[in-house]
Amino acid sequence: MSIQAVAAKAGVSVATVSRAFNFPDKVTRSTRELVERVARELDYVPNASARTLRTQRSRALGVVLPTLLNPTFAECLQGIARAAIAGGYAIIPVTTGYQLDEEERAVHLLLAGNVDGLILVVSNPATSAALARLRSTGTPYVLAYNRHPDHPCVTVDGEAAVADAVARLVLHGHRRIAMVSGTLAASDRAQQRYRGYRKGMADAGLKAPPLIEVPFVESAVDALAGVLQASSRPTALICSNDLLAIRSIRAAHLGGLRVPDDLSVIGFDGIALGEDLTPALTTIAQPNNDIGRHSVELLIQAMAGGTTLQADASLLLPYFFRDGESCAAARNTATD
Amino acid sequence: MSIQAVAAKAGVSVATVSRAFNFPDKVTRSTRELVERVARELDYVPNASARTLRTQRSRALGVVLPTLLNPTFAECLQGIARAAIAGGYAIIPVTTGYQLDEEERAVHLLLAGNVDGLILVVSNPATSAALARLRSTGTPYVLAYNRHPDHPCVTVDGEAAVADAVARLVLHGHRRIAMVSGTLAASDRAQQRYRGYRKGMADAGLKAPPLIEVPFVESAVDALAGVLQASSRPTALICSNDLLAIRSIRAAHLGGLRVPDDLSVIGFDGIALGEDLTPALTTIAQPNNDIGRHSVELLIQAMAGGTTLQADASLLLPYFFRDGESCAAARNTATD
DNA sequence: CTGTTAGCGCCTTCAC
DNA sequence: GTGAAGGCGCTAACAG
């Protein structure tokens, strides 16, 4: 079903049909209605690839993310999806599994797929080869969750957020506060959050114990077992993401510690599920949906202007401390 | 950067360049290497829309799902994404928020986007207008999670699964077993699972109390409060999905009941997160990733044969009873 | 084995 | 306000 068929049946030229669809005012009302009617009768749907080929715009956005198994990114993608549809764009998501070579492959794939722009969550903007190559192509893009002065980014101030959280814990009487993180090298977010932790501890005049680095989330429970049994075990844990926090709570439980009575746990991300857990997860909530939405909006805006997005378009969205039940005041301990 | 440029620089015709890429054996080794080198130098990437226009195949699959906020579907989409990439396809996901009109809009959008095939999770295959229209277009499609004799489906036997679960509970001494579900009308899955529940109860010679129907997951806690306070409250809950199970556990907790000591809770879906909760969620686990993967594989296979997928290609994958900590034997109660 | 050429369906000047 | 025609980049006959 092509524009030709519609033109023929309506007794007008293809140009008129095209205009009736794309510039309704450039055509007489009567012809427009005629064309619309015929198109409907014929179930005509404009051919996207032909249009793309002709206009050099696909109205498709590529999305590169680590995984959908972390609800954080699923929530963000949902935000992206809604905003994209609202803006008349389709999205093509690709997951990388936190692997650098997959990042490159994804960007390559998407570029070959003629996307008009890209939203990506990379491991580390400063060192990402994929990002460097992407940049050189002149395709508009925006980073989500990442933060770097040379790139347009939409995220929250993870450093300040964690420093805040530490301050809150201190206010509640905690002194032995440890941080649990995934592999630091694997993401700039983890690094920022850890910086915030150290800053928070320093500000409170506390000595920061070594970072509890968990290579695979699955091994979190094991990694924590030892730490939580020590005589000078922490009374509070700040986790670099909610999934780690959930596993930390489990580790505490397995170790015979009650949360929050014996151990306070704070997460980071604000996944929706956290509110329904028992105990409800105390966490630093990011507006995951909005991060996605704003990324799309920035991108669409830039593309409309025919430009690429600059670093100074970056958005730092507010985070929220979501009070839950996994965090409480420290009990008085003589060992302090 | 077009094929023309490559041809010119390499001193061959565009046809040769095209062949060098698509049928490497149909050109001399030397020409192929020449073309490849020049293409690399020029950073040439074949234009997807031109190819699609010419071949009438987009190598893109549309995916219609209710939401990404339920990890079940996020896990499935992850499976779809991986399998699609492996098969050389891009995916374009659209969420419907469980709304029928959004289902139609999504199908329309995707069809207009020139997808070669569709994977969808609809509310109810028997009544879906979107599905009827899709079918009439002759575009290959497959349903995931849905089950219907007239459509190709990839899912598990939800009815048998729940009946099994009831039998297990009975074996553990439970007699007052209630089911918690979302709106029955909103999904055929919920209906199947409920049928399984009634069958299981009937088989055990037990009277099934009224279904606890929760219109919005957010209201689950309220909806359950009353039921759990009653003197003849259930000793076990079978929930139609894991998110409901998690909220049911919370409701129990808020009502002063311990899980599993005072109340056993079984979920359905097998979201990964369930294993990390405390108590670890006992659930009927579906192979979410595989459901996605198989859907893609069936579709690609059918498309390769140039055919549409028939109902008899449907796949019923195995489910697993995942033992957790939210379910235990019933305590002896004189009131039984 | 390689080159020439005709469209795929659409948009967009340029005439009228 | 409408029509005619070129060409976006590519593949697939068809020739050579």
Side-chain angles (χ1 to χ4, degrees):
Chain A
M1 191 45 34
S2 78
I3 203 174
Q4 306 272 0
V6 179
K9 178 143 189 224
V12 298
S13 74
V14 293
T16 300
V17 177
S18 174
R19 277 191 285 257
F21 274 82
N22 301 308
F23 306 97
D25 345 308
K26 303 205 117 198
V27 106
T28 326
R29 169 198 274 267
S30 59
T31 25
R32 171 157 39 88
E33 288 170 348
L34 168 66
V35 169
E36 282 169 353
R37 188 169 52 72
V38 172
R40 213 171 318 112
E41 283 171 15
L42 260 40
D43 257 335
Y44 166 71
V45 179
N47 181 303
S49 6
R51 173 180 287 166
T52 296
L53 179 59
R54 176 62 233 247
T55 61
Q56 307 288 26
R57 297 179 49 229
S58 64
R59 301 198 75 85
L61 299 179
V63 183
V64 179
L65 346 133
T67 177
L68 291 175
L69 303 185
N70 184 329
T72 308
F73 299 124
E75 290 175 13
C76 176
L77 184 59
Q78 174 103 350
I80 289 174
R82 291 223 168 287
I85 285 208
Y89 279 79
I91 60 169
I92 305 179
V94 181
T95 60
T96 66
Y98 293 98
Q99 307 214 277
L100 288 181
D101 51 336
E102 292 285 334
E103 273 181 19
E104 286 211 60
R105 200 190 315 284
V107 169
H108 184 74
L109 210 68
L110 259 9
L111 255 19
N114 272 354
V115 297
D116 288 344
L118 282 169
I119 297 174
L120 32 196
V121 184
V122 300
S123 167
N124 191 331
T127 58
S128 168
L131 203 50
R133 282 197 28 199
L134 168 60
R135 194 173 211 176
S136 74
T137 69
T139 308
Y141 71 89
V142 58
L143 303 182
Y145 294 101
N146 295 118
R147 191 171 179 195
H148 193 283
D150 295 347
H151 298 278
C153 301
V154 177
T155 184
V156 303
D157 187 342
E159 182 168 342
V162 175
D164 276 7
V166 172
R168 276 175 188 259
L169 285 171
V170 171
L171 215 56
H172 285 10
H174 290 279
R175 294 290 174 273
R176 295 200 304 273
I177 304 168
M179 176 148 202
V180 183
S181 171
T183 315
L184 269 196
S187 104
D188 64 333
R189 280 92 68 203
Q191 291 164 29
Q192 287 157 209
R193 294 169 196 176
Y194 183 45
R195 264 203 303 281
Y197 164 72
R198 287 197 305 194
K199 177 172 183 307
M201 293 298 274
D203 287 353
L206 295 174
K207 181 163 171 295
L211 177 68
I212 303 169
E213 206 174 351
V214 179
F216 308 103
V217 272
E218 293 76 16
S219 57
V221 168
D222 295 336
L224 281 165
V227 177
L228 296 182
Q229 292 310 318
S231 64
S232 65
R233 64 168 184 78
T235 62
L237 248 34
I238 295 198
C239 303
S240 197
N241 65 60
D242 282 350
L243 294 185
L244 277 176
I246 289 170
R247 286 172 164 105
S248 297
I249 289 174
R250 179 148 188 83
H253 175 75
L254 295 177
L257 299 177
R258 290 163 304 162
V259 175
D261 312 74
D262 303 318
L263 180 73
S264 283
V265 175
I266 298 185
F268 197 115
D269 278 347
I271 64 177
L273 205 60
E275 299 190 82
D276 300 313
L277 302 182
T278 312
L281 197 59
T282 297
T283 187
I284 298 159
Q286 307 181 86
N288 296 310
N289 193 86
D290 286 348
I291 288 178
R293 184 169 57 81
H294 279 116
S295 298
V296 170
E297 286 169 358
L298 276 185
L299 211 44
I300 288 183
Q301 193 179 323
M303 293 181 314
T307 70
T308 165
L309 222 35
Q310 300 304 315
D312 62 7
S314 291
L315 245 38
L316 212 51
L317 302 181
Y319 55 85
F320 299 96
F321 192 83
R322 185 197 289 165
D323 241 322
E325 302 158 344
S326 64
C327 184
R331 291 181 302 175
N332 265 339
T333 56
T335 63
D336 237 0
Chain B
M1 189 47 32
S2 78
I3 204 175
Q4 305 272 1
V6 179
K9 177 140 189 227
V12 299
S13 75
V14 292
T16 300
V17 177
S18 174
R19 278 191 286 257
F21 273 83
N22 300 308
F23 307 97
D25 346 307
K26 303 205 119 198
V27 299
T28 331
R29 170 200 274 269
S30 59
T31 9
R32 170 158 38 91
E33 287 171 348
L34 168 65
V35 169
E36 283 170 354
R37 188 169 52 71
V38 172
R40 212 171 319 114
E41 284 171 15
L42 260 39
D43 258 334
Y44 167 70
V45 180
N47 182 303
S49 9
R51 173 180 288 166
T52 296
L53 179 58
R54 177 63 232 242
T55 61
Q56 307 289 19
R57 297 179 49 229
S58 64
R59 302 197 75 84
L61 299 179
V63 183
V64 179
L65 342 136
T67 176
L68 291 175
L69 303 185
N70 184 330
T72 309
F73 299 123
E75 289 176 13
C76 175
L77 185 59
Q78 175 102 349
I80 290 174
R82 291 223 167 287
I85 286 207
Y89 280 78
I91 61 169
I92 305 179
V94 181
T95 60
T96 66
Y98 292 99
Q99 307 214 276
L100 288 181
D101 51 336
E102 291 285 334
E103 272 182 20
E104 285 211 61
R105 201 192 314 285
V107 169
H108 184 75
L109 210 68
L110 258 8
L111 254 20
N114 272 353
V115 297
D116 289 343
L118 282 169
I119 297 173
L120 31 197
V121 184
V122 300
S123 167
N124 190 332
T127 58
S128 168
L131 203 49
R133 281 195 28 198
L134 167 59
R135 194 173 211 177
S136 75
T137 69
T139 309
Y141 71 90
V142 58
L143 302 182
Y145 295 101
N146 296 117
R147 192 171 178 195
H148 193 281
D150 296 346
H151 299 277
C153 301
V154 177
T155 183
V156 304
D157 187 342
E159 183 170 341
V162 175
D164 276 8
V166 172
R168 276 176 188 259
L169 285 171
V170 171
L171 215 58
H172 284 11
H174 290 280
R175 294 291 174 272
R176 294 200 304 274
I177 304 168
M179 177 148 200
V180 183
S181 171
T183 316
L184 269 196
S187 104
D188 64 333
R189 281 92 68 202
Q191 291 164 28
Q192 287 158 208
R193 294 170 195 175
Y194 182 45
R195 264 203 302 281
Y197 164 72
R198 286 197 306 193
K199 177 173 183 307
M201 292 298 274
D203 286 353
L206 295 174
K207 180 162 173 296
L211 176 68
I212 304 168
E213 207 174 351
V214 179
F216 307 103
V217 273
E218 293 76 15
S219 56
V221 168
D222 295 336
L224 281 165
V227 177
L228 296 181
Q229 293 310 317
S231 63
S232 65
R233 64 169 182 77
T235 62
L237 249 33
I238 295 198
C239 304
S240 197
N241 66 58
D242 282 350
L243 293 185
L244 277 176
I246 290 170
R247 286 173 163 105
S248 297
I249 290 174
R250 179 148 187 84
H253 175 76
L254 294 178
L257 299 177
R258 290 163 304 162
V259 175
D261 312 73
D262 302 319
L263 180 74
S264 282
V265 175
I266 298 186
F268 198 115
D269 279 346
I271 64 177
L273 205 60
E275 300 191 80
D276 301 313
L277 302 182
T278 311
L281 197 59
T282 295
T283 188
I284 298 160
Q286 307 182 86
N288 296 310
N289 193 86
D290 286 349
I291 288 178
R293 184 168 56 80
H294 279 118
S295 299
V296 171
E297 287 170 359
L298 276 186
L299 211 44
I300 288 183
Q301 192 179 322
M303 294 182 311
T307 71
T308 163
L309 223 35
Q310 299 305 314
D312 61 7
S314 290
L315 246 39
L316 212 51
L317 302 181
Y319 56 86
F320 300 96
F321 191 85
R322 185 197 287 165
D323 241 321
E325 302 158 345
S326 63
C327 184
R331 290 181 302 175
N332 267 337
T333 55
T335 65
D336 238 358

